[in-house]
Coordinates of all heavy atoms in Angstrom, one line a residue:
M1 N 29.7 -14.1 -24.0 CA 29.6 -14.6 -22.6 C 28.4 -15.6 -22.5 O 27.4 -15.4 -23.1 CB 29.4 -13.4 -21.7 CG 29.5 -13.8 -20.2 SD 29.6 -12.3 -19.3 CE 30.2 -12.9 -17.8
T2 N 28.5 -16.6 -21.7 CA 27.5 -17.6 -21.6 C 26.5 -17.2 -20.5 O 26.7 -16.2 -19.8 CB 28.1 -19.0 -21.2 OG1 28.7 -18.8 -19.9 CG2 29.1 -19.4 -22.2
S3 N 25.4 -18.0 -20.4 CA 24.4 -17.6 -19.4 C 24.8 -18.1 -18.0 O 24.0 -18.1 -17.1 CB 23.0 -18.2 -19.8 OG 23.1 -19.6 -19.8
A4 N 26.0 -18.7 -17.8 CA 26.4 -19.1 -16.5 C 27.6 -18.2 -16.1 O 28.3 -17.7 -16.9 CB 26.9 -20.6 -16.6
R5 N 27.7 -18.0 -14.8 CA 28.8 -17.2 -14.3 C 29.3 -17.8 -13.0 O 28.6 -18.6 -12.3 CB 28.4 -15.8 -14.0 CG 27.2 -15.6 -13.1 CD 26.8 -14.2 -13.0 NE 25.4 -14.3 -12.5 CZ 24.9 -13.3 -11.8 NH1 25.5 -12.2 -11.6 NH2 23.6 -13.4 -11.3
R6 N 30.5 -17.5 -12.6 CA 31.0 -18.0 -11.3 C 30.8 -17.1 -10.2 O 31.0 -15.9 -10.3 CB 32.5 -18.3 -11.5 CG 32.8 -19.4 -12.5 CD 33.8 -20.3 -11.8 NE 34.1 -21.4 -12.6 CZ 33.7 -22.7 -12.3 NH1 33.1 -22.9 -11.2 NH2 34.0 -23.6 -13.1
T7 N 30.3 -17.6 -9.1 CA 30.1 -16.8 -7.9 C 30.5 -17.7 -6.7 O 29.9 -18.7 -6.4 CB 28.6 -16.4 -7.7 OG1 27.8 -17.6 -7.7 CG2 28.1 -15.5 -8.8
G8 N 31.6 -17.3 -6.1 CA 32.1 -18.0 -4.9 C 32.4 -19.5 -5.1 O 32.2 -20.3 -4.2
G9 N 32.8 -19.8 -6.3 CA 33.2 -21.2 -6.5 C 32.0 -22.1 -7.0 O 32.2 -23.2 -7.4
A10 N 30.8 -21.6 -6.9 CA 29.6 -22.3 -7.3 C 29.2 -21.8 -8.7 O 29.3 -20.7 -9.0 CB 28.5 -22.1 -6.3
R11 N 28.6 -22.7 -9.5 CA 28.2 -22.3 -10.8 C 26.7 -22.0 -10.7 O 25.9 -22.7 -10.2 CB 28.4 -23.5 -11.8 CG 28.1 -23.1 -13.2 CD 28.5 -24.2 -14.1 NE 28.3 -23.7 -15.4 CZ 29.1 -23.7 -16.4 NH1 30.3 -24.1 -16.2 NH2 28.8 -23.2 -17.6
C12 N 26.4 -20.8 -11.2 CA 25.0 -20.3 -11.1 C 24.5 -20.1 -12.6 O 25.1 -19.4 -13.4 CB 25.0 -18.9 -10.4 SG 23.4 -18.2 -10.3
T13 N 23.4 -20.8 -12.9 CA 22.9 -20.7 -14.2 C 21.7 -19.7 -14.2 O 20.8 -19.9 -13.4 CB 22.4 -22.1 -14.7 OG1 23.5 -23.0 -14.6 CG2 21.9 -22.1 -16.1
L14 N 21.7 -18.8 -15.1 CA 20.6 -17.8 -15.3 C 19.5 -18.4 -16.1 O 19.8 -19.2 -17.1 CB 21.2 -16.5 -15.9 CG 22.3 -15.8 -15.2 CD1 22.8 -14.6 -16.0 CD2 21.8 -15.4 -13.8
P15 N 18.3 -18.2 -15.8 CA 17.2 -18.7 -16.5 C 17.1 -18.0 -17.9 O 17.5 -16.9 -18.1 CB 15.9 -18.4 -15.7 CG 16.3 -17.2 -14.9 CD 17.8 -17.3 -14.6
P16 N 16.6 -18.8 -18.9 CA 16.5 -18.1 -20.2 C 15.4 -17.0 -20.2 O 14.5 -17.0 -19.4 CB 16.0 -19.3 -21.1 CG 15.7 -20.4 -20.2 CD 16.2 -20.1 -18.9
L17 N 15.6 -16.1 -21.1 CA 14.7 -14.9 -21.1 C 13.2 -15.3 -21.4 O 12.3 -14.7 -20.9 CB 15.1 -13.9 -22.2 CG 16.5 -13.2 -21.8 CD1 16.8 -12.2 -22.9 CD2 16.4 -12.5 -20.5
R18 N 13.0 -16.4 -22.1 CA 11.7 -16.9 -22.4 C 11.0 -17.2 -21.1 O 9.8 -17.0 -20.9 CB 11.7 -18.1 -23.4 CG 11.9 -17.7 -24.8 CD 12.0 -18.9 -25.6 NE 13.4 -19.4 -25.4 CZ 13.8 -20.6 -25.5 NH1 13.0 -21.5 -25.8 NH2 15.0 -21.0 -25.2
A19 N 11.7 -17.9 -20.2 CA 11.1 -18.3 -18.9 C 10.7 -17.0 -18.1 O 9.6 -17.0 -17.5 CB 12.0 -19.1 -18.1
L20 N 11.5 -16.0 -18.2 CA 11.2 -14.8 -17.5 C 9.9 -14.1 -18.0 O 9.1 -13.6 -17.3 CB 12.3 -13.8 -17.5 CG 13.6 -14.2 -16.7 CD1 14.7 -13.2 -16.9 CD2 13.3 -14.4 -15.2
G21 N 9.8 -14.1 -19.4 CA 8.6 -13.6 -20.0 C 7.4 -14.3 -19.7 O 6.3 -13.7 -19.5
A22 N 7.5 -15.6 -19.6 CA 6.3 -16.4 -19.2 C 5.9 -16.2 -17.8 O 4.7 -16.1 -17.5 CB 6.6 -17.9 -19.4
A23 N 6.8 -16.0 -16.9 CA 6.5 -15.7 -15.5 C 5.8 -14.3 -15.4 O 4.9 -14.1 -14.6 CB 7.8 -15.7 -14.6
A24 N 6.3 -13.4 -16.2 CA 5.7 -12.0 -16.2 C 4.3 -12.0 -16.7 O 3.4 -11.3 -16.3 CB 6.6 -11.0 -16.9
A25 N 4.0 -12.9 -17.7 CA 2.7 -13.0 -18.3 C 1.7 -13.5 -17.3 O 0.5 -13.1 -17.3 CB 2.7 -13.9 -19.5
D26 N 2.1 -14.3 -16.4 CA 1.2 -14.8 -15.3 C 0.8 -13.8 -14.3 O -0.2 -13.9 -13.6 CB 1.8 -16.0 -14.6 CG 2.0 -17.2 -15.5 OD1 1.3 -17.3 -16.5 OD2 2.9 -18.0 -15.1
E27 N 1.5 -12.7 -14.3 CA 1.3 -11.6 -13.3 C 0.4 -10.5 -13.9 O 0.1 -9.5 -13.2 CB 2.6 -11.0 -12.9 CG 3.6 -11.9 -12.2 CD 3.0 -12.2 -10.8 OE1 2.5 -11.3 -10.1 OE2 3.2 -13.4 -10.4
R28 N -0.1 -10.7 -15.1 CA -1.0 -9.7 -15.6 C -2.3 -9.5 -14.8 O -2.9 -10.5 -14.4 CB -1.4 -10.0 -17.1 CG -0.4 -9.6 -18.1 CD -0.9 -9.8 -19.5 NE -0.3 -11.1 -19.9 CZ -0.8 -11.9 -20.8 NH1 -1.9 -11.5 -21.5 NH2 -0.3 -13.0 -21.1
G29 N -2.6 -8.3 -14.5 CA -3.8 -8.0 -13.7 C -3.5 -8.0 -12.2 O -4.4 -7.6 -11.4
A30 N -2.3 -8.4 -11.8 CA -2.0 -8.4 -10.3 C -2.0 -7.0 -9.8 O -2.5 -6.7 -8.7 CB -0.6 -9.0 -10.1
A31 N -1.5 -6.0 -10.5 CA -1.4 -4.6 -10.1 C -2.8 -4.1 -9.9 O -3.2 -3.4 -8.9 CB -0.6 -3.7 -11.0
T32 N -3.7 -4.4 -10.8 CA -5.1 -3.9 -10.7 C -5.8 -4.5 -9.5 O -6.5 -3.8 -8.8 CB -5.9 -4.4 -12.0 OG1 -5.2 -3.8 -13.1 CG2 -7.3 -3.9 -12.0
A33 N -5.5 -5.8 -9.2 CA -6.1 -6.4 -8.0 C -5.5 -5.8 -6.8 O -6.3 -5.6 -5.8 CB -5.8 -7.9 -8.0
E34 N -4.3 -5.4 -6.8 CA -3.7 -4.8 -5.6 C -4.3 -3.4 -5.4 O -4.6 -3.0 -4.3 CB -2.2 -4.7 -5.8 CG -1.5 -6.0 -5.7 CD 0.0 -5.9 -6.1 OE1 0.5 -4.8 -6.3 OE2 0.6 -7.0 -6.1
Y35 N -4.5 -2.7 -6.5 CA -5.2 -1.4 -6.4 C -6.6 -1.5 -5.8 O -7.0 -0.7 -5.0 CB -5.2 -0.7 -7.7 CG -3.9 -0.1 -8.2 CD1 -3.4 -0.3 -9.4 CD2 -3.1 0.7 -7.3 CE1 -2.2 0.2 -9.9 CE2 -1.9 1.2 -7.7 CZ -1.5 1.0 -9.0 OH -0.3 1.5 -9.4
A36 N -7.3 -2.5 -6.3 CA -8.7 -2.7 -5.8 C -8.7 -3.1 -4.3 O -9.5 -2.5 -3.6 CB -9.3 -3.9 -6.6
V37 N -7.8 -3.9 -3.8 CA -7.7 -4.2 -2.4 C -7.4 -3.0 -1.6 O -7.9 -2.7 -0.6 CB -6.7 -5.3 -2.2 CG1 -6.4 -5.5 -0.7 CG2 -7.2 -6.6 -2.8
T38 N -6.4 -2.2 -2.1 CA -6.0 -0.9 -1.4 C -7.2 0.1 -1.3 O -7.4 0.7 -0.3 CB -4.8 -0.3 -2.1 OG1 -3.8 -1.2 -2.2 CG2 -4.4 1.0 -1.4
I39 N -7.9 0.2 -2.4 CA -9.1 1.1 -2.4 C -10.2 0.6 -1.5 O -10.7 1.4 -0.7 CB -9.6 1.3 -3.9 CG1 -8.6 2.1 -4.7 CG2 -11.0 1.9 -3.9 CD1 -8.9 2.1 -6.2
M40 N -10.4 -0.7 -1.4 CA -11.4 -1.2 -0.5 C -11.0 -1.0 0.9 O -11.8 -0.6 1.8 CB -11.7 -2.7 -0.8 CG -12.3 -3.0 -2.1 SD -13.9 -2.1 -2.4 CE -14.9 -2.8 -1.1
A41 N -9.7 -1.1 1.2 CA -9.2 -0.9 2.6 C -9.4 0.6 2.9 O -9.8 0.9 4.1 CB -7.8 -1.3 2.7
A42 N -9.1 1.5 2.0 CA -9.2 2.9 2.2 C -10.7 3.3 2.5 O -11.0 4.1 3.3 CB -8.6 3.7 1.1
V43 N -11.6 2.7 1.7 CA -13.0 3.0 1.9 C -13.5 2.5 3.2 O -14.2 3.2 3.9 CB -13.8 2.4 0.7 CG1 -15.3 2.4 1.0 CG2 -13.5 3.1 -0.6
G44 N -13.0 1.4 3.6 CA -13.4 0.8 5.0 C -12.9 1.7 6.1 O -13.6 2.0 7.0
F45 N -11.6 2.2 5.9 CA -11.0 3.0 6.9 C -11.8 4.4 7.0 O -12.0 4.9 8.1 CB -9.6 3.3 6.7 CG -8.9 4.1 7.7 CD1 -8.6 3.6 8.9 CD2 -8.5 5.4 7.4 CE1 -8.0 4.4 9.9 CE2 -7.9 6.2 8.3 CZ -7.6 5.7 9.6
A46 N -12.1 4.9 5.8 CA -12.9 6.2 5.8 C -14.2 6.0 6.5 O -14.7 6.9 7.2 CB -13.0 6.7 4.3
G47 N -14.9 4.9 6.2 CA -16.2 4.7 6.8 C -16.1 4.6 8.4 O -16.9 5.1 9.1
L48 N -15.1 3.9 8.8 CA -14.8 3.8 10.3 C -14.5 5.2 10.9 O -15.0 5.6 11.9 CB -13.6 2.9 10.5 CG -13.2 2.7 12.0 CD1 -14.4 2.0 12.8 CD2 -12.0 1.8 12.1
L49 N -13.7 6.0 10.2 CA -13.4 7.3 10.6 C -14.6 8.2 10.7 O -14.8 9.0 11.7 CB -12.4 7.9 9.7 CG -11.7 9.2 10.1 CD1 -11.0 9.0 11.5 CD2 -10.7 9.7 9.1
V50 N -15.5 8.1 9.7 CA -16.7 8.9 9.7 C -17.6 8.5 10.9 O -18.2 9.3 11.6 CB -17.5 8.7 8.4 CG1 -18.9 9.2 8.5 CG2 -16.8 9.5 7.3
A51 N -17.7 7.2 11.2 CA -18.5 6.7 12.3 C -18.0 7.2 13.6 O -18.7 7.6 14.5 CB -18.6 5.2 12.3
I52 N -16.7 7.2 13.7 CA -16.0 7.7 15.0 C -16.3 9.2 15.2 O -16.6 9.7 16.2 CB -14.5 7.4 15.0 CG1 -14.4 5.8 15.2 CG2 -13.8 8.1 16.1 CD1 -12.9 5.4 15.0
L53 N -16.1 9.9 14.1 CA -16.2 11.4 14.2 C -17.6 11.9 14.4 O -17.9 13.0 14.8 CB -15.6 12.1 12.9 CG -14.1 12.0 12.8 CD1 -13.6 12.6 11.5 CD2 -13.4 12.6 14.0
R54 N -18.6 11.0 14.1 CA -20.0 11.4 14.3 C -20.5 11.2 15.7 O -21.5 11.7 16.1 CB -20.9 10.6 13.3 CG -20.9 11.1 11.9 CD -22.0 10.5 11.1 NE -22.0 11.1 9.8 CZ -22.9 10.8 8.9 NH1 -23.8 9.9 9.2 NH2 -22.9 11.5 7.8
S55 N -19.7 10.5 16.5 CA -20.1 10.3 17.9 C -20.0 11.6 18.7 O -19.3 12.5 18.4 CB -19.2 9.3 18.6 OG -17.9 9.8 18.8
G56 N -20.9 11.8 19.7 CA -21.0 13.0 20.4 C -19.8 13.4 21.2 O -19.4 14.5 21.3
E57 N -19.1 12.4 21.8 CA -17.9 12.6 22.5 C -16.8 13.2 21.7 O -16.1 14.2 22.1 CB -17.4 11.3 23.2 CG -18.2 10.9 24.3 CD -17.6 9.6 24.9 OE1 -16.5 9.2 24.6 OE2 -18.4 8.9 25.7
V58 N -16.6 12.6 20.5 CA -15.5 13.1 19.6 C -15.8 14.5 19.1 O -15.0 15.3 19.0 CB -15.3 12.1 18.5 CG1 -14.3 12.6 17.5 CG2 -14.8 10.7 19.0
R59 N -17.1 14.7 18.8 CA -17.5 16.0 18.3 C -17.3 17.1 19.3 O -16.8 18.1 19.0 CB -19.0 15.9 17.8 CG -19.4 17.2 17.2 CD -20.8 17.1 16.7 NE -20.8 16.3 15.5 CZ -21.9 15.9 14.8 NH1 -23.0 16.3 15.2 NH2 -21.8 15.2 13.7
A60 N -17.6 16.8 20.6 CA -17.4 17.7 21.7 C -15.9 18.0 21.9 O -15.5 19.1 22.1 CB -18.1 17.2 22.9
A61 N -15.1 16.9 21.8 CA -13.7 17.1 22.0 C -13.1 17.9 20.9 O -12.2 18.8 21.2 CB -13.0 15.7 22.1
L62 N -13.5 17.7 19.7 CA -13.0 18.5 18.6 C -13.4 20.0 18.7 O -12.6 20.9 18.4 CB -13.4 17.9 17.2 CG -12.7 16.6 16.8 CD1 -13.4 16.1 15.6 CD2 -11.3 16.8 16.6
A63 N -14.7 20.2 19.1 CA -15.2 21.6 19.2 C -14.4 22.3 20.3 O -14.0 23.5 20.2 CB -16.7 21.6 19.5
D64 N -14.1 21.6 21.4 CA -13.3 22.2 22.5 C -11.9 22.5 22.0 O -11.4 23.5 22.4 CB -13.3 21.2 23.7 CG -12.5 21.8 24.9 OD1 -12.8 22.9 25.3 OD2 -11.6 21.1 25.4
L65 N -11.3 21.6 21.3 CA -10.0 21.8 20.8 C -9.9 23.0 19.9 O -9.0 23.9 20.0 CB -9.5 20.6 20.0 CG -8.1 20.6 19.4 CD1 -7.1 20.6 20.5 CD2 -7.9 19.5 18.5
V66 N -10.9 23.2 19.0 CA -10.9 24.3 18.1 C -11.2 25.6 18.9 O -10.5 26.6 18.6 CB -12.0 24.1 17.0 CG1 -12.3 25.4 16.2 CG2 -11.7 23.0 16.1
T67 N -12.0 25.6 19.8 CA -12.3 26.8 20.6 C -11.1 27.2 21.4 O -10.7 28.4 21.4 CB -13.4 26.5 21.7 OG1 -14.6 26.0 20.9 CG2 -13.8 27.7 22.5
R68 N -10.4 26.2 22.0 CA -9.1 26.6 22.7 C -8.1 27.1 21.8 O -7.3 28.1 22.1 CB -8.6 25.4 23.5 CG -9.4 25.1 24.7 CD -8.7 24.1 25.6 NE -8.8 22.8 25.0 CZ -7.9 21.8 25.0 NH1 -6.8 22.0 25.7 NH2 -8.1 20.7 24.5
A69 N -7.9 26.5 20.6 CA -6.9 27.0 19.6 C -7.2 28.4 19.1 O -6.3 29.2 19.0 CB -6.9 26.1 18.4
L70 N -8.5 28.7 18.9 CA -8.9 30.1 18.5 C -8.7 31.1 19.6 O -8.4 32.2 19.3 CB -10.3 30.1 17.9 CG -10.5 29.3 16.6 CD1 -12.0 29.3 16.3 CD2 -9.7 29.9 15.5
S71 N -9.0 30.7 20.8 CA -8.8 31.6 21.9 C -7.4 32.0 22.2 O -7.0 33.1 22.6 CB -9.5 31.1 23.2 OG -8.8 30.0 23.7
V72 N -6.5 31.0 22.0 CA -5.0 31.3 22.1 C -4.5 32.1 21.0 O -3.7 33.0 21.2 CB -4.3 29.9 22.2 CG1 -2.8 30.2 22.1 CG2 -4.6 29.2 23.4
A73 N -5.0 31.9 19.8 CA -4.5 32.6 18.6 C -5.0 34.0 18.6 O -4.4 34.9 18.1 CB -4.9 31.9 17.3
G74 N -6.2 34.3 19.1 CA -6.8 35.6 19.0 C -6.9 36.3 20.2 O -6.6 37.2 20.8

């Protein structure tokens, strides 16, 4: 079978495997960069969450929530 096939009356030529290998070679390290960006975003989000949870209002709201939950359960 050839590298061309018929689809809906139009001729579609598939790229040679060498071209696909060259395109994949250009992507080396892309996954590592994506992981690094994801980790940096997670660290930023964690820092923001810590800053929010350290505020007095949020701490009081969480303490009230825990107190109410324990009084209902016990």
Side-chain angles (χ1 to χ4, degrees):
M1 187 170 199
T2 64
S3 64
R5 59 185 161 152
R6 291 230 177 248
T7 56
R11 188 170 180 126
C12 178
T13 305
L14 299 175
L17 292 178
R18 281 175 284 152
L20 293 175
D26 293 338
E27 296 289 323
R28 277 187 264 160
T32 303
E34 291 170 4
Y35 286 130
V37 169
T38 303
I39 289 170
M40 293 304 294
V43 167
F45 182 72
L48 179 65
L49 191 59
V50 166
I52 290 171
L53 290 177
R54 283 192 172 183
S55 72
E57 288 180 14
V58 174
R59 187 174 286 179
L62 288 174
D64 182 52
L65 181 69
V66 169
T67 303
R68 283 190 289 146
L70 291 176
S71 67
V72 169

